[in-house]
Amino acid sequence: PGSVVQKPPGEWHTFWNTGSVPVRFLEIISPPEFTQYFRELAGLIPPHGAPDPADLTALAARYGMDFDFAALGPLMAHYGLRMG
């Protein structure tokens, strides 16, 4: 609680909750126009299951980002993570 983390532009990153209680966090996004990415992302996430990786890749490309989906499985296995 009370921690601050800075994510510099252009750095690969991911985050997850390592605890058993829900996490609340505040993310400050700059430039503010980038918030539109999250609005569009919300529209790609189905009520059940995972979003289509092709849709995520296309969205990311429009905002100058990349996803490393190949790293997802090994990260999840190494840290004992699961979706949802």
Side-chain angles (χ1 to χ4, degrees), residues 11 23 34 55 59 61-62 68:
E11 292 292 325
V23 171
F34 190 67
D55 291 340
L59 175 62
R62 288 200 307 274
D68 184 0

Side-chain angles (χ1 to χ4, degrees), residues 7 11-16 72 75 79 81:
K7 296 182 300 186
E11 292 292 325
W12 285 98
H13 65 276
T14 188
F15 48 91
W16 58 85
L72 187 59
L75 274 173
Y79 291 101
L81 303 173

Side-chain angles (χ1 to χ4, degrees), residues 35-70:
T35 58
Q36 184 59 32
Y37 163 78
F38 291 100
R39 288 185 187 100
E40 292 183 49
L41 176 62
L44 298 178
I45 300 173
H48 303 287
D52 184 331
D55 291 340
L56 295 177
T57 300
L59 175 62
R62 288 200 307 274
Y63 287 88
M65 299 186 311
D66 294 308
F67 286 118
D68 184 0
F69 290 112

